[in-house]
Amino acid sequence: MTLRIHDPYAVAGEYRRAQLHCHTTESDGTFRPEELLRMYKAAGYAFVFITDHNRVTRCDSLDDETFLALPGSEDTVSKMRPLGPHLLRMFATAPARGADPQRVIDETVAAGGICGLCHPSWTGNLWTGAWPERAVAALRGYHFIEIRNPHSRPQDDTARWEAALRRSTAPVWGVAVDDCHTRAQFNRGWITIRVPRISATDLKRALQGGAFYASTGPAAEFGVEGTTITARFEEPLSMRFIDARSQVRMAVEGTDGGYAVHGDEQYIRVEASRGRYAVWSQPFVIDGDRSAGVESGAFGHP
């Protein structure tokens, strides 16, 4: 069988830390916008989206060649507002209008934005805040799901991510965020994204193409060598290579791991952990029916 492996990490650039979800005093956060951005900049972040509730907060006073703050919003999308689930909107220029999630996603993407499902198993908003698995599977056009958020349940959120991956015609990426409202939540989850420059254009392209991994601590390097999916870490971790049926195809301990693809997996993603720290790769989509060779960066990188 000939194999083609779509490697989202096979793009030019360096890895930079990014926060996709945080709040300021403009909604229900503890810190003023510039104060919060100073905290992220001091912690080594290159990109931060301020995503206040149902509003767009702009603050570019700290932007320079090493750091970029970008507009976004966390919008309640429900006919029962203020109850209902939340949609994260990157590069948003105005709050969302309307209660239909699919329509909001379509309009956001048409305007050049990127959408994600916030804390899918969150039980807040009087138990209306979760994204049911049927909605996760039915919605189209969103780019990512939060699989690690301090306000949600990682195991349930990962199950929803897998449901989206099984049913979507294009990869849905998994992200970690800190959803910072208070200092205790700050810097508890992020993505590390590969970009050639610190620019909004490069960031958007990498977000769309999945050139990032989610983490609560470990640094990682994922890739493809021949027909082997590789994972490398700076410290020993417990690694699991997981297929589209949620089966662990290989488990290994250490700093280096490599899974030789068989062709029946549909995709392989990597989870690795040590204690309370964890890291997640994006799915490496596997096509065993087309021409020989490995295709890199097949999604979102024209």
Side-chain angles (χ1 to χ4, degrees):
M1 176 183 290
T2 57
L3 297 173
R4 178 177 295 180
I5 304 172
H6 304 284
D7 179 1
Y9 301 102
V11 295
E14 298 180 9
Y15 280 110
R16 313 278 187 173
R17 186 176 290 193
Q19 182 57 245
L20 304 182
H21 186 170
C22 61
H23 299 276
T24 75
T25 50
E26 295 298 304
S27 60
D28 59 348
T30 302
F31 305 102
R32 296 184 303 275
E34 184 171 321
E35 182 182 12
L36 183 61
L37 292 174
R38 285 191 185 280
M39 290 166 58
Y40 282 115
K41 191 171 185 178
Y45 284 77
F47 302 101
V48 177
F49 285 92
I50 295 177
T51 52
D52 281 319
H53 291 281
N54 304 303
R55 64 167 294 144
V56 173
T57 300
R58 294 181 177 276
C59 181
D60 59 5
S61 57
L62 300 181
D63 288 3
D64 57 26
E65 67 278 2
T66 68
F67 182 83
L68 187 60
L70 295 145
S73 65
E74 181 182 2
D75 293 280
T76 305
V77 283
S78 167
K79 294 179 181 178
M80 303 181 295
R81 286 182 67 179
L83 303 180
H86 294 178
L87 185 72
L88 206 64
R89 300 167 61 245
M90 312 285 94
F91 305 99
T93 58
R97 307 297 181 196
D100 176 32
Q102 188 62 67
R103 181 175 179 180
V104 173
I105 291 170
D106 292 343
E107 291 178 350
T108 301
V109 173
I114 293 175
C115 291
L117 306 187
C118 298
H119 35 62
S121 63
W122 180 52
T123 57
N125 271 7
L126 298 179
W127 296 88
T128 68
W131 288 97
E133 188 171 311
R134 64 181 182 276
V136 170
L139 290 170
R140 295 289 181 265
Y142 65 95
H143 293 83
F144 60 84
I145 293 178
E146 292 180 354
I147 56 174
R148 180 55 65 95
N149 180 310
H151 305 287
S152 199
R153 297 186 299 273
Q155 184 173 353
D156 293 340
D157 294 340
T158 301
R160 284 166 168 80
W161 181 33
E162 291 180 322
L165 287 170
R166 285 193 294 268
R167 292 167 174 80
S168 180
T169 57
V172 174
W173 314 119
V175 305
V177 300
D178 65 15
D179 193 359
C180 179
H181 293 75
T182 67
R183 187 172 294 277
Q185 296 159 356
F186 174 75
N187 200 30
R188 289 178 57 183
W190 58 85
I191 65 169
T192 302
I193 190 161
R194 193 167 192 171
V195 291
R197 297 176 303 275
I198 298 176
S199 74
T201 299
D202 290 342
L203 175 63
K204 182 183 290 187
R205 183 177 294 114
L207 286 171
Q208 291 170 327
F212 58 88
Y213 60 86
S215 182
T216 61
E221 184 78 38
F222 299 105
V224 175
E225 296 176 3
T227 56
T228 296
I229 295 169
T230 62
R232 296 184 174 92
F233 307 98
E234 295 177 348
E235 55 190 294
L237 299 176
S238 299
M239 289 172 259
R240 299 192 303 157
F241 293 76
I242 304 167
D243 70 13
R245 291 174 292 279
S246 303
Q247 295 179 348
V248 178
R249 300 297 287 257
M250 188 180 80
V252 63
E253 301 272 343
T255 57
D256 295 76
Y259 171 77
V261 170
H262 299 280
D264 63 336
E265 298 92 342
Q266 291 184 270
Y267 69 76
I268 287 289
R269 63 179 186 85
V270 186
E271 288 187 7
S273 61
R274 179 177 58 84
R276 62 190 180 92
Y277 297 110
V279 60
W280 301 259
S281 80
Q282 302 309 326
F284 292 80
V285 178
I286 299 161
D287 183 348
D289 298 320
R290 298 183 182 177
S291 59
V294 175
E295 181 174 322
S296 298
F299 297 100
H301 293 283

